[in-house]
Every structure is written in C-alpha cells, then in structure tokens.
Amino acid sequence: MKRALGVLASCARLICPACRRGRMFRSLFTMNVRCPVCGVIFERDAGEVTGGIAINTIVTALLTISGATLAFFTDIPLLPLLAGLMIVSVLFPLWFYRYARALWTGILYLTGSMFED
C-alpha cells in the first residue's frame, strides 16, 4: 500500500513512477514517450491513452454533478450556476488532462504494464 501511494504521489507531481525523478511531460499537452532519466516507456500501446481520458471524464462529470446539486440546496440563481458549471466543465478537463494521464500511467506501472524496452 505504501508503494502504491508513493507511485501515485509521484504521478500527481507529474514525475516518472519508476525512478521518481524524470518528468513525464515535455510541454503542456505533450507527454514524453520515455522517461528522460530511466528510459521507461510511459505508454507502450496507442490505446492506453483512453484510461487517462476516462479518468478525466469521470472526475469532470463528478465535479459538474456536485456543482449542479447546489441548485437544490442553495439560493444561487439557476442561470449563473449553469453558466459557471459550463465554464468549469470546459476549463477543468483542460487543466486536469496532464494529471489524469499521469495517474493512468501510475496505474499502468503498478499493474506491471510499464517496463524498459
């Protein structure tokens, strides 16, 4: 459990889960193919990116649904609430993209799907 939490914590900092030193991203939306320090391949197959997309979609949906429930429990006017939720549902996934991909990479590492070539 301690190892899993350490791996996920390093992924939350966008650092390689294998060596915990290399950066996972070279720019805002571009993930490195390999860790610049240890050489581990972050995603071996093209379809592995869908896990990060699923994490991003689920977290965004939960955030939006949680915000929408405010309409039932507060006196916030509906139109400003919906406008705010629309803005959050567009901007949040853009910000969270790197973290979702990194989290998925950590899950792949923990399940043994990542290794040096």
Side-chain angles (χ1 to χ4, degrees):
M1 186 66 155
K2 184 178 176 182
R3 177 179 174 262
L5 290 175
V7 165
L8 296 178
S10 67
C11 289
R13 294 187 326 264
L14 305 176
I15 296 176
C16 174
C19 68
R20 299 189 188 171
R21 291 181 292 157
R23 296 177 151 251
M24 294 176 79
F25 286 83
R26 64 175 165 223
S27 68
L28 193 59
F29 293 109
T30 307
M31 186 175 208
N32 289 324
V33 175
R34 293 177 172 270
C35 173
V37 176
C38 69
V40 71
I41 298 173
F42 290 129
E43 291 181 350
R44 300 190 67 76
D45 298 321
E48 290 177 353
V49 70
T50 56
I53 293 170
I55 291 171
N56 201 351
T57 303
I58 290 168
V59 172
T60 302
L62 289 174
L63 184 67
T64 305
I65 291 168
S66 299
T69 58
L70 289 175
F72 298 108
F73 301 110
T74 64
D75 292 334
I76 299 173
L78 187 59
L79 227 46
L81 180 63
L82 289 177
L85 287 174
M86 224 164 51
I87 292 168
V88 166
S89 66
V90 169
L91 295 181
F92 178 78
L94 292 173
W95 173 79
F96 191 63
Y97 168 79
R98 293 166 23 128
Y99 298 98
R101 291 274 313 264
L103 180 60
W104 183 246
T105 302
I107 292 169
L108 290 175
Y109 178 75
L110 288 171
T111 59
S113 298
M114 280 178 47
F115 47 86
E116 291 185 60
D117 208 16

